[in-house]
Amino acid sequence: MKRFILFCFVTFSMFLSVSCVNLTGSNIRVILPDKLYAGKPFELKIGVFDWLGVPLKGVDVNVNGSIFTTDESGYARVPLFLNAGLYKLKVSYKEVTEEILLNVQEASWLVLCWFGADNNLSNYVSGDLAEMQMAAKDVAVIAFVDQSGNLNDGVYALSTDGRFVKVESFANDVNSGSKDSLSRFVEKYHAYTAKRKALVLWNHGTAWDDTDPYRVKGISYDDESRDFLQILELKEALENLRWDVLGFDACLMGSVEVLYELKDLADYFIVAPSLIPASGWNYKFLSEVSHVEPEDFCRKVIGYWRQTYSGTDYEDALNGWRSNQLGRAVSVLATMTNGTPAIQIRATVYNNRPRLCDLGEVLGQFGWDQALSEFQSARIPEATDLKIYLSVFLPMDKNELENYYDMYSQLSFAKHTGWLDWLDNLW
């Protein structure tokens, strides 16, 4: 019996000794996603367990000098929102310390979306955010959200597990019609590393028209602040950055005047020249853009749009434009505006005041075939008929031209092509 008791004591002592070794080396357990990408928030889960493997609830864990407390499951949850790079974290619980190395890779695409929805479009934000949650794992989506009377306004980033996480709160009601607000957002979040970058401006739109100090429609209208972005303000807010794709989920922004004004900001544009449904783009396209080139990114947006609005008047409205080729097309147009007599134009009208007509149909009826061909090839998909779904200002009479003359004369398209002088002479 004594020998048996001695054997049990020795065995227990050996077990306790081994357990103590395990206790000092592995009572901290770490769980993190398989792959980490810049601009995608994630949770680092740090568990603390005793020598029997029992989770310790309500204990403090030190992570690089910050304290996090374990929950009922025995894990402390550490939220992280990082740029690309290698990060070393020092994790401590009492006398036990471990180092964790995080490798955050650049995203294949960084997509910033400006939800200026402090207006009658406010209720459509949630649907588009839900569609964005289907984005591919390596696609980072960061959204500025300003809704009507919504206390949850802020900047949200799509996490590695497909949830939108608020990464920035606004102290006061933010003005989404402010050039400064837009500039701060894009400069801060454009810094997250990605192979390709896109910006989508989501709101009402009326192309370049800013004659009325406040209307139902405008460029990023904020009802609370009673402010909006003029096209030249938009250019100033974005001028320090370059985008692979600049898209407008807004009405009437498919104007040659708008795209020419912004041509140095992006390689590709996605726009519609007409009114579009309040539901706008189908953001499920983000599930298929992992590692695609910018032109294919545009084609994905357009493809999902056409599936969504198949059989409606909106089906062909959304198109992409190659910035460099668009610039060349405008240069060709500038050589053709001299000596053309006035004729009665019967072109598709996208807007009445100011009167915006389809540029392709206008060029075709004036016989400017070389310019028409250049614009047709600049479009994605390339156009094969006269209607190219890009608008141009063509006033009905001299009075209408005079109403917009001062504002229109500030646009690069009007100044560099002679289009305004040509319109003046036309009447």
Side-chain angles (χ1 to χ4, degrees):
M1 177 62 71
K2 290 182 179 180
R3 289 182 179 179
F4 177 72
I5 293 174
L6 179 61
F7 171 78
C8 291
F9 175 76
V10 171
T11 302
F12 179 74
S13 298
M14 292 176 63
F15 172 75
L16 183 60
S17 175
V18 171
S19 299
C20 288
V21 171
N22 289 337
L23 175 63
T24 59
S26 61
N27 68 335
I28 293 177
R29 303 177 189 176
V30 178
I31 300 176
L32 71 160
D34 292 335
K35 291 186 177 180
L36 307 174
Y37 294 98
K40 301 204 74 167
F42 64 95
E43 272 191 346
L44 181 67
K45 298 180 181 179
I46 301 174
V48 181
F49 297 81
D50 65 15
W51 67 280
L52 290 175
V54 177
L56 300 181
K57 308 172 186 178
V59 300
D60 291 338
V61 180
N62 188 310
V63 182
N64 280 14
S66 298
I67 301 300
F68 299 87
T69 304
T70 60
D71 59 17
E72 289 297 309
S73 66
Y75 282 90
R77 301 173 185 271
V78 182
L80 294 170
F81 183 44
L82 303 173
N83 212 333
L86 291 174
Y87 298 85
K88 184 179 291 185
L89 300 183
K90 183 178 179 181
V91 180
S92 302
Y93 170 66
K94 293 186 176 180
E95 73 282 359
V96 181
T97 298
E98 289 190 12
E99 285 191 346
I100 302 168
L101 188 64
L102 302 178
N103 181 14
V104 182
Q105 304 174 45
E106 67 175 0
S108 64
W109 274 90
L110 170 66
V111 181
L112 303 188
C113 192
W114 178 264
F115 282 98
D118 195 350
N119 49 51
N120 61 355
L121 291 178
S122 186
N123 291 334
Y124 292 92
V125 173
S126 58
D128 283 346
L129 289 175
E131 292 171 353
M132 290 177 178
Q133 288 181 279
M134 298 182 65
K137 294 292 185 183
D138 59 352
V139 174
V141 181
I142 303 177
F144 173 101
V145 178
D146 178 24
Q147 292 179 270
S148 180
N150 196 318
L151 298 178
N152 294 319
D153 289 347
V155 176
Y156 291 80
L158 188 62
S159 69
T160 54
D161 58 354
R163 298 176 298 109
F164 271 106
V165 176
K166 183 183 280 191
V167 294
E168 181 181 343
S169 297
F170 303 139
N172 301 303
D173 183 64
V174 67
N175 180 3
S176 53
S178 162
K179 175 187 70 175
D180 293 337
S181 295
L182 176 59
S183 180
R184 282 194 297 269
F185 170 70
V186 295
E187 288 183 7
K188 180 175 181 178
Y189 294 101
H190 183 278
Y192 283 89
T193 310
K195 292 182 174 67
R196 301 291 187 181
K197 298 183 180 183
L199 171 65
V200 180
L201 297 169
W202 184 106
N203 200 261
H204 286 300
T206 56
W208 44 267
D209 178 20
D210 56 20
T211 53
D212 196 318
Y214 196 84
R215 305 191 309 166
V216 175
K217 292 192 177 73
I219 302 170
S220 193
Y221 268 81
D222 187 312
D223 283 357
E224 181 69 24
S225 302
R226 299 189 68 77
D227 197 4
F228 68 101
L229 290 167
Q230 300 176 7
I231 190 62
L232 296 180
E233 287 183 315
L234 180 62
K235 180 181 180 181
E236 291 174 6
L238 303 178
E239 65 184 354
N240 295 324
L241 303 171
R242 181 80 183 187
W243 305 90
D244 292 285
V245 178
L246 177 56
F248 289 89
D249 191 351
C251 297
L252 300 173
M253 299 305 290
S255 152
V256 66
E257 292 91 347
V258 169
L259 300 195
Y260 191 72
E261 197 68 45
L262 306 179
K263 65 182 176 59
D264 296 327
L265 302 180
D267 294 331
Y268 293 85
F269 296 99
I270 307 174
V271 287
S274 59
L275 299 177
I276 64 173
S279 52
W281 291 13
N282 183 343
Y283 289 94
K284 294 178 183 177
F285 80 89
L286 290 169
S287 65
E288 298 185 19
V289 297
S290 177
H291 295 290
V292 303
E293 293 301 311
E295 185 161 321
D296 290 327
F297 184 98
C298 295
R299 292 184 185 277
K300 292 293 184 184
V301 178
I302 296 163
Y304 270 78
W305 171 277
R306 294 188 174 182
Q307 289 176 23
T308 303
Y309 299 109
S310 176
T312 72
D313 293 338
Y314 304 112
E315 182 175 352
D316 297 322
L318 192 72
N319 291 284
W321 294 89
R322 304 175 182 94
S323 181
N324 287 340
Q325 288 180 248
L326 184 77
R328 289 197 296 269
V330 170
S331 297
V332 172
L333 174 60
T335 68
M336 298 184 172
T337 54
N338 293 323
T340 302
I343 62 173
Q344 184 65 36
I345 292 293
R346 295 183 178 179
T348 300
V349 177
Y350 297 114
N351 193 57
N352 286 315
R353 293 288 176 175
R355 183 169 175 258
L356 306 180
C357 297
D358 189 89
L359 175 62
E361 294 177 336
V362 172
L363 298 179
Q365 292 186 51
F366 276 119
W368 295 341
D369 294 339
Q370 184 181 354
L372 173 60
S373 177
E374 291 286 345
F375 279 105
Q376 287 175 322
S377 63
R379 202 189 77 174
I380 304 170
E382 293 187 5
T384 56
D385 53 13
L386 291 182
K387 190 173 183 179
I388 61 174
Y389 292 94
L390 185 68
S391 72
V392 68
F393 179 41
L394 192 65
M396 286 291 294
D397 50 41
K398 186 73 170 180
N399 288 335
E400 184 184 355
L401 177 60
E402 290 177 349
N403 289 337
Y404 294 96
Y405 194 95
D406 290 342
M407 178 196 57
Y408 195 76
S409 65
Q410 300 177 48
L411 299 175
S412 299
F413 179 81
K415 292 185 288 188
H416 296 168
T417 64
W419 184 259
L420 181 57
D421 293 336
W422 178 74
L423 288 176
D424 204 17
N425 293 332
L426 199 62
W427 301 112

